[in-house]
Amino acid sequence: PVRLQCPFRHGHRQLRAFLIRPTRGTFLEGYDGHSDLHVGITNSKGVVYNYNQEGVHRADKGWEQCISIPLVQPDMAELLLQWDNLLEEFSLEEAWLPHRYEEQQHNCYTFALAFVNLVRRSRGQEPLSKAQFTERFLIPHTREASRYLTLHQELAHRDFYIVPLPEQEQ
């Protein structure tokens, strides 16, 4: 037997993180590598704040299989305490009303990156462009997920038996 670490995490257990999941279905069941992805940001309780054409949602289910990018280091005590309030206040801004949604230019990624940049500015850091954030933070995680998915799909079609690890080991 060969044991591979699955790159997907239970999003509601990933606190203060940037999450990515397929808009429909899951990565391991039906994702073809070309379908749309959806992103969100978790609070300190695992509630996923995400934005779409209906406005901001606070989801406590539906993000059970995600790519997770942690956003806060354990030594950032002040930010750890402020995170939930910052995220809630940010999500109530006029910019995130449903009628402002635009699929290509003002979408879930815009929402999540704008929040990341709000936090960066509050810490005296420069904001990141979509290209910079994608290159630095998303591509390493999505590349790993892509390799895993390719291998998973190949093995599933070649009569190999794939056993998921118990939840606590993930």
Side-chain angles (χ1 to χ4, degrees):
V2 175
R3 184 177 186 169
L4 296 175
Q5 184 69 29
C6 181
F8 307 116
R9 301 286 171 257
H10 191 296
H12 300 289
R13 295 184 188 144
Q14 307 301 308
L15 310 182
R16 301 173 192 94
F18 184 103
L19 302 180
I20 306 167
R21 71 168 173 83
T23 301
R24 290 180 180 69
T26 67
F27 281 112
L28 295 176
E29 293 178 20
Y31 183 68
D32 62 5
H34 302 288
S35 302
D36 288 341
L37 296 172
H38 192 49
V39 302
I41 303 278
T42 55
N43 70 8
S44 68
K45 296 169 184 69
V47 174
V48 182
Y49 284 64
N50 61 98
Y51 177 65
N52 66 15
Q53 61 272 19
E54 296 168 1
V56 175
H57 301 273
R58 291 155 191 83
D60 57 5
K61 62 182 177 188
W63 294 76
E64 289 78 17
Q65 191 183 98
C66 302
I67 296 170
S68 175
I69 296 119
L71 295 173
V72 181
Q73 301 300 319
D75 64 344
M76 298 176 172
E78 187 177 326
L79 182 55
L80 291 170
L81 294 173
Q82 297 174 349
W83 188 267
D84 289 357
N85 288 337
L86 285 172
L87 186 54
E88 182 61 29
E89 288 173 19
F90 175 79
S91 71
L92 296 173
E93 291 179 6
E94 195 173 311
W96 313 117
L97 292 173
H99 71 278
R100 299 208 182 242
Y101 181 86
E102 199 283 306
E103 189 172 347
Q104 298 301 316
Q105 298 299 319
H106 195 76
N107 52 33
C108 62
Y109 192 74
T110 310
F111 171 81
L113 182 57
F115 181 72
V116 167
N117 281 329
L118 171 80
V119 170
R120 288 180 62 83
R121 280 190 298 276
S122 75
R123 299 186 51 77
Q125 298 172 322
E126 291 292 316
L128 297 169
S129 69
K130 284 184 179 184
Q132 289 170 319
F133 185 77
T134 301
E135 183 70 30
R136 276 195 224 169
F137 298 100
L138 301 187
I139 288 180
H141 291 275
T142 57
R143 188 173 288 138
E144 176 187 355
S146 177
R147 284 188 207 124
Y148 185 90
L149 282 173
T150 300
L151 182 59
H152 185 274
Q153 290 166 350
E154 285 295 316
L155 291 174
H157 293 351
R158 299 200 191 277
D159 296 327
F160 284 87
Y161 188 66
I162 301 170
V163 180
L165 292 173
E167 193 71 33
Q168 69 271 14
E169 292 184 36
Q170 294 187 16

